[in-house]
Amino acid sequence: MTVFARRARASAGRLHPELSLVSYTLLGHLEERDGCRATDLAAHYALDKSTVSRQVAALERAGLVERRQDPEDHRVQVLHLTEAGRHILGQVTVSRRAAVGERLADWTPEDLERFARYLVRYNAWPRSD
């Protein structure tokens, strides 16, 4: 798992050197949820609010995230991807899929099926979200 995490961090740095793997993860979550509050990000990933605040500030400075007023509660700011954020995230997705495809190219169909089942099992661990 450590090697996997190191490779993911290194890959993220090559794609957009100013952003961390955490930033890419947050961008993906914002895209998946079509926006959310910073406190929701912190709760979902069990991160300290100050950590999320720093990450979000970096994403805003990079022009990848913007804050919008919640139409239902004008006191709340909701984070959304900008077009640049969507573009970067799309590039990351294509690059990561290509890298995974390259690593798995010589696996047998049986190995791929077994691996997929293990990933499903691993990701099915009880979560609080």
Side-chain angles (χ1 to χ4, degrees):
M1 293 302 287
T2 301
V3 171
F4 180 81
R6 283 184 189 146
R7 285 184 178 152
R9 280 192 297 274
S11 171
R14 285 191 301 273
L15 294 169
H16 201 288
E18 302 93 53
L19 298 178
S20 68
L21 179 60
V22 172
S23 295
Y24 283 117
T25 303
L26 298 181
L27 288 175
H29 188 83
L30 290 174
E31 180 183 54
E32 183 180 300
R33 305 278 182 176
D34 195 26
C36 70
R37 298 174 304 160
T39 55
D40 297 331
L41 287 172
H44 180 78
Y45 290 106
L47 294 170
D48 186 78
K49 290 179 187 178
S50 64
T51 300
V52 171
S53 179
R54 283 191 302 276
Q55 294 293 328
V56 167
L59 293 170
E60 285 181 299
R61 283 192 303 276
L64 305 179
V65 169
E66 64 185 3
R67 293 176 190 268
R68 297 183 201 155
Q69 199 172 53
D70 186 329
E72 295 175 17
D73 184 347
H74 296 292
R75 299 169 295 166
V76 175
Q77 296 285 310
V78 179
L79 301 169
H80 289 276
L81 292 180
T82 62
E83 284 305 312
R86 290 186 193 287
H87 179 74
I88 290 290
L89 193 59
Q91 287 179 321
V92 170
T93 300
V94 167
S95 177
R96 285 196 175 152
R97 284 183 181 162
V100 169
E102 187 178 313
R103 284 183 173 266
L104 301 177
D106 63 347
W107 288 31
T108 66
E110 294 80 19
D111 286 341
L112 291 171
E113 288 174 25
R114 189 177 306 112
F115 183 58
R117 283 194 310 272
Y118 288 147
L119 286 174
V120 167
R121 182 177 169 192
Y122 180 83
N123 287 324
W125 181 262
R127 294 171 39 160
S128 62
D129 62 337

